[in-house]
């Protein structure tokens, strides 16, 4: 009985040690995480005009810009639909380092392997089913006529 109590205490101690290591790892990850504050388009334009923008990372899929300011703050701004090339050109004209996020290789590969959607298959299938239903109906009507 004494031996099982020691084993249980050892297991509890190991679990506590693992939990404390996991929590300290999360705390370290949280310290290094960048927090972005949302910003309006007008505020961003003012900062750009005042040369406060250091670098910008453009996410085309979300139409957002992750902005790093000269004072070290990080802000998140949006740009209008279909305006990514103009926005990037305007930023580069102001001397800002611009990075445009591209699709990952996995996303490109998945899109390339995606099978084509063929409507004709469904149309032909519907026509075949309709023809089968009509043939069955005609045979049933002919069978009833022969009995009478």
């Amino acid at each position: 009985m004494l031996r099982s109590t020691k084993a249980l205490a050892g297991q509890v101690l190991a679990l506590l040690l693992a939990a404390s290591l996991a929590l300290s790892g999360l705390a370290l990850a949280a310290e290094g995480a960048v927090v972005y504050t949302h910003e309006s388009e007008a505020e961003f334009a003012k900062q750009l005009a005042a040369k406060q923008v250091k670098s910008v990372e453009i996410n085309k899929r979300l139409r957002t810009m992750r902005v790093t300011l000269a004072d070290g703050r990080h802000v998140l701004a949006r740009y209008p639909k279909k305006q990514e090339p103009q926005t990037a050109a305007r930023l580069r004209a102001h001397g800002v380092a611009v990075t445009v996020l591209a699709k990952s290789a996995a996303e490109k590969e998945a899109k390339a392997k995606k099978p084509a959607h063929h409507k004709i298959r469904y149309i032909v299938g519907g026509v075949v089913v309709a023809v089968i239903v009509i043939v069955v109906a005609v045979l049933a009507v002919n069978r009833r006529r022969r009995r009478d």
Side-chain angles (χ1 to χ4, degrees):
M1 184 100 176
L2 185 60
R3 202 167 218 187
S4 64
T5 306
K6 284 184 179 180
L8 181 63
Q11 290 174 350
V12 169
L13 183 61
L15 284 173
L16 287 173
L17 181 63
S20 66
L21 287 174
L23 289 176
S24 66
L26 288 175
L28 287 175
E31 285 177 13
V34 176
V35 178
Y36 289 92
T37 57
H38 291 277
E39 189 171 71
S40 70
E41 216 173 310
E43 290 173 356
F44 175 71
K46 286 179 187 176
Q47 290 169 343
L48 186 61
K51 304 253 186 218
Q52 294 176 349
V53 179
K54 182 178 177 183
S55 66
V56 175
E57 188 175 272
I58 297 176
N59 187 336
K60 291 169 64 172
R61 181 178 237 169
L62 300 176
R63 288 192 350 253
T64 59
M65 298 179 290
R66 296 179 186 164
V67 181
T68 304
L69 299 175
D71 62 1
R73 290 184 300 142
H74 298 281
V75 294
L76 187 67
R78 296 187 65 85
Y79 61 89
K81 252 185 187 176
K82 299 181 182 178
Q83 294 293 315
E84 182 269 326
Q86 293 87 342
T87 303
R90 183 177 65 157
L91 290 167
R92 288 186 180 107
H94 280 86
V96 177
V98 178
T99 305
V100 178
L101 294 178
K103 289 184 179 178
S104 68
E107 287 178 354
K108 287 179 184 177
E109 187 176 316
K111 188 174 182 180
K113 288 185 178 181
K114 185 177 179 183
H117 186 74
H118 301 287
K119 279 198 263 183
I120 285 213
R121 289 182 185 175
Y122 299 112
I123 294 170
V124 170
V127 170
V128 168
V129 169
V131 168
I132 290 172
V133 168
I134 291 171
V135 168
V136 168
V138 168
L139 289 175
V141 169
N142 283 342
R143 184 178 273 177
R144 283 189 181 191
R145 283 187 186 171
R146 284 186 194 164
R147 274 199 258 166
D148 293 336

